[in-house]
Amino acid sequence: MSRIFINYRRQDSEGYVGRLYDHLTKHFERADIFMDIDNIKPGADFVETLESAVASCDVMITMIGPQWLTITNDAGSRRLDQWDDFVRIEIASALKQSKLIIPVLVGHARMPSPTELPEDMIALARRNALELSHQRFSYDVDKLIQVIKDTVSGSASLKITSPTTKINADSEVVRQKELAIKVVRIVREKELALKAVRDDLMNATTSPLYEFRTQIRAFPVLGEGNADANIIFIGEAPGKNETETGRPFIGPSGEVLDEMLRSIDLKREDVYVTNILMDRAPEKRDPTPAEIAFYAPFLDRIIDIIQPTVIATLGRFSMQYILKKLDLPEKRGSITQNHGKLIKTQAHYGEVHIVPLFHPAVVLYSASQKETLRKDFEKLKVFI
Ligand code: URA
């Protein structure tokens, strides 16, 4: 019986589907994975076939590529709007039957909004999506497989491939599995290590900003994001919005940062965002050397845990700190001289690129700086 249903458009996501199928077959029985192309018999009523296949599945993976919404038929009409569109029939049927649907975004596609979908597919827009990128394929697929396994763990009919039989059959499968397990373990360890830093920061009563923190009943702000991120952004200091919530860059500067990330198709949850100071300073003043010296060890611990391949500094304070820490010749340059450079160097854990960027707040004071900031952010594209 088919239990995992892969819903996709060949023109839109074929390159990814083949790779995904190969990975899935290492964890699940081939017979439990339904892909329309192979399974529909000639002459069969395709609507009935699709609906009964959906009925028998536990999980539907809906692959959404960059053209998913817009592909047209020969008459120039959007395929999603056609009654006989396979993709639409399958999704609408899964929604009607309350099946678990996992949208999987590929090729930098985004989730469709409700207004872009036909009536019987609108509920798809509320489903939480996972992203698959070619660069992090094994890692991303591992996350997807874990979700499927968690979902079907109570289901008797979806057989998860036994590792012992596979070990004998296919050493590549074993290697992939071990790698996936290792990645999950590393991420968990990193998350725990970051939590320990957060606890220490909460208890940092000797901070020069601790008194102000208690006076205004604020939270310290360690940082937020992917504990295993490739790219870490380091700002200056949390402001009022941030210390009321404990989250970095959520005020006006955060909006600029989000816009810049969007401009290069980088998701906030894929990076880690932190600051050189982790408490709010009074009166929006610049960080003092004593404050930077106090919080620097917390920042160093974050970097050591995450081990990013890119450190993007936002503003002159974090830039100066990082360039001096790594003793780079650019430490003598101003942010006007250094912004947008890719500075390759060696951290104790491996190669790292420092990318000094202007602080997003520059755009709030001078709109003309937006283009400069956007162009500088473009430099990060090679690391995505
Ligand atoms: N919010 C932050 O978290 N950091 C800044 O530098 C500015 C706003």
Side-chain angles (χ1 to χ4, degrees), residues 235-238 242 248-249 253 275 359:
E236 186 177 308
E242 287 80 13
F249 279 98
S253 294
N275 286 295
H359 193 283

PDB file of all heavy atoms in Angstrom, residues 235-238 242 248-249 253 275 359, ligand 1:
ATOM      1  N   GLY A 235      25.278  42.314  15.220  1.00  0.00           N
ATOM      2  CA  GLY A 235      24.914  43.726  15.282  1.00  0.00           C
ATOM      3  C   GLY A 235      25.599  44.434  16.430  1.00  0.00           C
ATOM      4  O   GLY A 235      26.629  43.980  16.939  1.00  0.00           O
ATOM      5  N   GLU A 236      24.962  45.529  16.852  1.00  0.00           N
ATOM      6  CA  GLU A 236      25.604  46.367  17.875  1.00  0.00           C
ATOM      7  C   GLU A 236      25.059  46.054  19.277  1.00  0.00           C
ATOM      8  O   GLU A 236      25.774  45.526  20.117  1.00  0.00           O
ATOM      9  CB  GLU A 236      25.350  47.831  17.505  1.00  0.00           C
ATOM     10  CG  GLU A 236      26.060  48.810  18.390  1.00  0.00           C
ATOM     11  CD  GLU A 236      25.821  50.235  17.899  1.00  0.00           C
ATOM     12  OE1 GLU A 236      26.042  50.511  16.710  1.00  0.00           O
ATOM     13  OE2 GLU A 236      25.401  51.054  18.726  1.00  0.00           O
ATOM     14  N   ALA A 237      23.813  46.367  19.511  1.00  0.00           N
ATOM     15  CA  ALA A 237      23.222  46.133  20.831  1.00  0.00           C
ATOM     16  C   ALA A 237      21.714  46.079  20.683  1.00  0.00           C
ATOM     17  O   ALA A 237      21.145  46.749  19.823  1.00  0.00           O
ATOM     18  CB  ALA A 237      23.597  47.274  21.775  1.00  0.00           C
ATOM     19  N   PRO A 238      21.055  45.295  21.539  1.00  0.00           N
ATOM     20  CA  PRO A 238      19.594  45.260  21.451  1.00  0.00           C
ATOM     21  C   PRO A 238      19.001  46.594  21.882  1.00  0.00           C
ATOM     22  O   PRO A 238      19.570  47.299  22.717  1.00  0.00           O
ATOM     23  CB  PRO A 238      19.221  44.140  22.428  1.00  0.00           C
ATOM     24  CG  PRO A 238      20.380  44.009  23.358  1.00  0.00           C
ATOM     25  CD  PRO A 238      21.593  44.425  22.591  1.00  0.00           C
ATOM     26  N   GLU A 242      13.838  44.778  21.447  1.00  0.00           N
ATOM     27  CA  GLU A 242      14.567  43.509  21.598  1.00  0.00           C
ATOM     28  C   GLU A 242      14.620  43.083  23.076  1.00  0.00           C
ATOM     29  O   GLU A 242      14.420  41.902  23.385  1.00  0.00           O
ATOM     30  CB  GLU A 242      15.992  43.651  21.048  1.00  0.00           C
ATOM     31  CG  GLU A 242      16.087  43.705  19.531  1.00  0.00           C
ATOM     32  CD  GLU A 242      15.768  45.057  18.923  1.00  0.00           C
ATOM     33  OE1 GLU A 242      15.699  46.048  19.690  1.00  0.00           O
ATOM     34  OE2 GLU A 242      15.585  45.149  17.685  1.00  0.00           O
ATOM     35  N   PRO A 248      16.720  39.362  19.084  1.00  0.00           N
ATOM     36  CA  PRO A 248      17.483  40.407  18.402  1.00  0.00           C
ATOM     37  C   PRO A 248      16.794  40.921  17.139  1.00  0.00           C
ATOM     38  O   PRO A 248      16.020  40.199  16.511  1.00  0.00           O
ATOM     39  CB  PRO A 248      18.780  39.676  18.013  1.00  0.00           C
ATOM     40  CG  PRO A 248      18.347  38.259  17.811  1.00  0.00           C
ATOM     41  CD  PRO A 248      17.243  38.018  18.810  1.00  0.00           C
ATOM     42  N   PHE A 249      17.096  42.154  16.812  1.00  0.00           N
ATOM     43  CA  PHE A 249      16.672  42.744  15.536  1.00  0.00           C
ATOM     44  C   PHE A 249      15.196  42.493  15.216  1.00  0.00           C
ATOM     45  O   PHE A 249      14.863  41.885  14.196  1.00  0.00           O
ATOM     46  CB  PHE A 249      17.555  42.213  14.391  1.00  0.00           C
ATOM     47  CG  PHE A 249      18.868  42.938  14.292  1.00  0.00           C
ATOM     48  CD1 PHE A 249      20.012  42.388  14.856  1.00  0.00           C
ATOM     49  CD2 PHE A 249      18.968  44.171  13.663  1.00  0.00           C
ATOM     50  CE1 PHE A 249      21.238  43.063  14.793  1.00  0.00           C
ATOM     51  CE2 PHE A 249      20.174  44.846  13.587  1.00  0.00           C
ATOM     52  CZ  PHE A 249      21.316  44.291  14.151  1.00  0.00           C
ATOM     53  N   SER A 253      15.314  48.417  12.782  1.00  0.00           N
ATOM     54  CA  SER A 253      16.542  47.894  12.148  1.00  0.00           C
ATOM     55  C   SER A 253      16.345  46.449  11.701  1.00  0.00           C
ATOM     56  O   SER A 253      16.875  46.016  10.674  1.00  0.00           O
ATOM     57  CB  SER A 253      17.727  47.916  13.122  1.00  0.00           C
ATOM     58  OG  SER A 253      18.066  49.214  13.441  1.00  0.00           O
ATOM     59  N   ASN A 275      24.510  40.074  18.712  1.00  0.00           N
ATOM     60  CA  ASN A 275      25.044  41.435  18.851  1.00  0.00           C
ATOM     61  C   ASN A 275      26.348  41.407  19.630  1.00  0.00           C
ATOM     62  O   ASN A 275      26.629  40.454  20.354  1.00  0.00           O
ATOM     63  CB  ASN A 275      24.048  42.306  19.623  1.00  0.00           C
ATOM     64  CG  ASN A 275      22.851  42.673  18.793  1.00  0.00           C
ATOM     65  OD1 ASN A 275      22.966  43.381  17.807  1.00  0.00           O
ATOM     66  ND2 ASN A 275      21.687  42.170  19.183  1.00  0.00           N
ATOM     67  N   HIS A 359      25.558  48.938   9.397  1.00  0.00           N
ATOM     68  CA  HIS A 359      24.452  48.564  10.280  1.00  0.00           C
ATOM     69  C   HIS A 359      23.129  48.885   9.554  1.00  0.00           C
ATOM     70  O   HIS A 359      23.017  49.935   8.915  1.00  0.00           O
ATOM     71  CB  HIS A 359      24.549  49.355  11.587  1.00  0.00           C
ATOM     72  CG  HIS A 359      23.640  48.813  12.638  1.00  0.00           C
ATOM     73  ND1 HIS A 359      22.288  49.061  12.634  1.00  0.00           N
ATOM     74  CD2 HIS A 359      23.888  48.013  13.707  1.00  0.00           C
ATOM     75  CE1 HIS A 359      21.745  48.443  13.668  1.00  0.00           C
ATOM     76  NE2 HIS A 359      22.693  47.800  14.331  1.00  0.00           N
TER      77      HIS A 359
HETATM   78  N1  URA B   1      18.557  45.456  17.287  1.00  0.00           N
HETATM   79  C1  URA B   1      19.558  44.610  17.586  1.00  0.00           C
HETATM   80  O1  URA B   1      19.333  43.506  18.060  1.00  0.00           O
HETATM   81  N2  URA B   1      20.805  45.021  17.340  1.00  0.00           N
HETATM   82  C2  URA B   1      21.095  46.193  16.817  1.00  0.00           C
HETATM   83  O2  URA B   1      22.268  46.449  16.596  1.00  0.00           O
HETATM   84  C3  URA B   1      20.034  47.052  16.520  1.00  0.00           C
HETATM   85  C4  URA B   1      18.766  46.668  16.773  1.00  0.00           C
END
